[in-house]
Amino acid sequence: MKNIYLLLIPIFFISCSPRIVTKVTHNQGIQLAFQEVVVIPENTPFGIPYKKIGETQAGDSGFTVNCGYNVMIDLLKNEALKNGANVLRITKHIYPSVFGSSCHRIKADLLLVEDIKSLKSNWNNTSPIQTETNDYVENKRIENGEAAAVIATSSGIFKKNKDSRFIVIATVGPSFRVAKTPENASAEQKAYIKKLKSGLGYELSGYYMKDENTGFGLKYNAYKSSGSLSNQTIELGDGSTWTGTVSDAIAIQFIGASFLYSEGQRARVGEGTMELALGYMGYKDLATFSGNRMTIKGGNLGIVGGFGYQFRISPNFLVGPQVNFVGGVLNKVTLTYPDGSKQKVKFEEDNEKENLWRIDLAIGAKFRF
């Protein structure tokens, strides 16, 4: 048994290390003259002659725990030095994902550039770390595992690309209330109530991004449903009865402070999002009986939580599915009768309170500014 554990120890450490795959077509051997490797970010052309040595990539082995950007780049630099390359040109960079790998996955070309001084001159300028006012961006300006976003012109000058600071998310789709139907209702009334429990849900949220992944802002969420039922008899408070058509137009609205966690805009396929909001939830029902309208209004603390995934259509526009859980409970309502008189009703028992919880199944659009 002891020998088995000794065998498992190296296997465990190997499985926790990043997976490196290198394919070499022109091995130059280790060049002792090379002291460092210049890293060229993805989609950055340069006009200096080079010889392609091969390709290399670093990825997730399945249990990798130490796979930040700097770690992966250093591993690929070692592959370049081992095979006689002095330039690592990134061809594909997949950022960590909430719903995917937690590792930076990088694929790069191994290049040999004879005129490395000219390349480094354009890349590094005259100082090892450039200031924000300088026209150049040095590759080592990487903080917290995040690569500086750069774009190169044909002259070899590299400029910084700013991250968006504002996000707007709009969603729309069917919504379903989850409150129980009264057991003493007739079959016809139960069918009518079931119809009213299905409606249209939509929302609009705006966020200021504190950093690449977290933001704070405001959320507006709404639900609407309506229906009518004929040949209904209602007993009034004075003992008399009315018979006629009943209709309802229900609107539930929420507005409150909201928190957003989102994948960064460098995520290649799309961005996963999670939201949580707390605020005021209002309820309004325009109920009509035989042409007489009565308004039922109430409000209480409400909460909205949701998650979604938006696929990237363009760098700053994404579309995808969203699921929201919206809820609150009405403890009291105000009734406004056709003659203008009002009555406040407080629900003492739990089974009397109006359950406003529902589920929104929506399509969302995400805009970055």
Side-chain angles (χ1 to χ4, degrees):
M1 183 64 71
K2 180 179 179 180
N3 291 334
I4 294 177
Y5 285 133
L6 292 175
L7 288 172
L8 289 176
I9 290 174
I11 293 174
F12 171 78
F13 282 106
I14 291 173
S15 65
C16 291
S17 301
R19 181 172 178 265
I20 306 296
V21 177
T22 300
K23 182 186 296 185
V24 176
T25 53
H26 297 87
N27 194 329
Q28 303 295 302
I30 298 177
Q31 304 292 317
L32 297 179
F34 294 168
Q35 300 296 320
E36 61 179 314
V37 175
V38 176
V39 179
I40 306 297
E42 188 179 10
N43 300 322
T44 304
F46 61 97
I48 297 177
Y50 63 86
K51 179 179 180 180
K52 184 174 180 179
I53 304 301
E55 299 176 351
T56 186
Q57 59 182 341
D60 189 351
S61 64
F63 300 94
T64 308
V65 292
N66 187 16
C67 50
Y69 180 84
N70 288 333
V71 172
M72 295 304 215
I73 286 296
D74 286 343
L75 291 172
L76 296 182
K77 280 184 177 181
N78 289 335
E79 292 298 305
L81 291 173
K82 286 193 302 184
N83 293 285
N86 57 0
V87 173
L88 191 71
R89 182 173 66 181
I90 297 176
T91 57
K92 187 175 183 180
H93 183 184
I94 301 177
Y95 285 76
S97 169
V98 174
F99 301 104
S101 174
S102 60
C103 295
H104 285 264
R105 288 162 287 173
I106 302 172
K107 185 176 181 180
D109 289 337
L110 304 176
L111 307 180
L112 175 61
V113 175
E114 299 294 340
D115 191 10
I116 193 67
K117 291 184 178 180
S118 296
L119 179 62
K120 289 173 64 178
S121 176
N122 282 337
W123 189 249
N124 296 322
N125 199 11
T126 58
S127 60
I129 298 181
Q130 303 301 324
T131 63
E132 295 226 356
T133 57
N134 200 292
D135 285 335
Y136 297 91
V137 176
E138 202 272 333
N139 184 53
K140 292 182 180 179
R141 293 183 64 192
I142 299 171
E143 300 176 356
N144 299 325
E146 296 294 338
V150 294
I151 298 177
T153 64
S154 57
S155 62
I157 297 177
F158 301 89
K159 298 181 180 180
K160 187 175 180 180
N161 184 29
K162 294 182 179 179
D163 290 338
S164 60
R165 303 301 293 177
F166 297 93
I167 288 178
V168 173
I169 301 176
T171 69
V172 63
S175 183
F176 308 93
R177 294 179 63 184
V178 298
K180 293 182 178 180
T181 302
E183 296 181 358
N184 58 352
S186 66
E188 187 180 28
Q189 290 171 341
K190 288 181 178 180
Y192 175 64
I193 295 174
K194 182 178 180 181
K195 179 182 178 182
L196 288 176
K197 287 165 59 178
S198 299
L200 179 69
Y202 54 92
E203 71 174 25
L204 181 66
S205 307
Y207 297 97
Y208 172 77
M209 301 304 292
K210 183 178 70 71
D211 52 43
E212 185 180 12
N213 301 112
T214 57
F216 299 89
L218 291 174
K219 177 184 290 291
Y220 170 78
N221 181 288
Y223 167 90
K224 289 187 177 182
S225 69
S226 61
S228 62
L229 187 62
S230 59
N231 299 321
Q232 296 300 300
T233 300
I234 297 179
E235 183 176 345
L236 303 180
D238 58 3
S240 62
T241 59
W242 278 10
T243 301
T245 299
V246 175
S247 67
D248 292 271
I250 297 174
I252 303 174
Q253 300 183 78
F254 168 92
I255 187 167
S258 187
F259 167 79
L260 169 71
Y261 179 84
S262 172
E263 289 187 87
Q265 64 190 99
R266 297 183 181 91
R268 182 177 297 271
V269 177
E271 301 175 12
T273 59
M274 291 184 289
E275 300 174 81
L276 182 63
L278 191 67
Y280 174 79
M281 180 167 290
Y283 174 91
K284 183 177 182 180
D285 181 6
L286 298 178
T288 303
F289 182 79
S290 293
N292 298 296
R293 173 169 292 185
M294 182 175 67
T295 303
I296 306 171
K297 295 179 67 175
N300 204 346
L301 182 69
I303 186 171
V304 180
F307 59 89
Y309 189 89
Q310 292 84 35
F311 296 92
R312 197 176 305 284
I313 306 300
S314 67
N316 294 315
F317 176 61
L318 305 92
V319 176
Q322 174 96 6
V323 178
N324 292 326
F325 300 92
V326 186
V329 177
L330 288 183
N331 298 317
K332 56 185 178 180
V333 295
T334 300
L335 309 179
T336 303
Y337 295 100
D339 61 0
S341 62
K342 295 185 178 181
Q343 178 187 3
K344 292 185 178 181
V345 178
K346 186 175 181 180
F347 304 123
E348 300 292 346
E349 303 295 331
D350 289 341
N351 60 355
E352 295 177 344
K353 297 176 181 180
E354 184 71 16
N355 184 351
L356 302 181
W357 279 96
R358 70 178 200 271
I359 299 174
D360 294 344
L361 304 178
I363 293 294
K366 183 177 185 180
F367 306 87
R368 286 183 171 272
F369 301 95

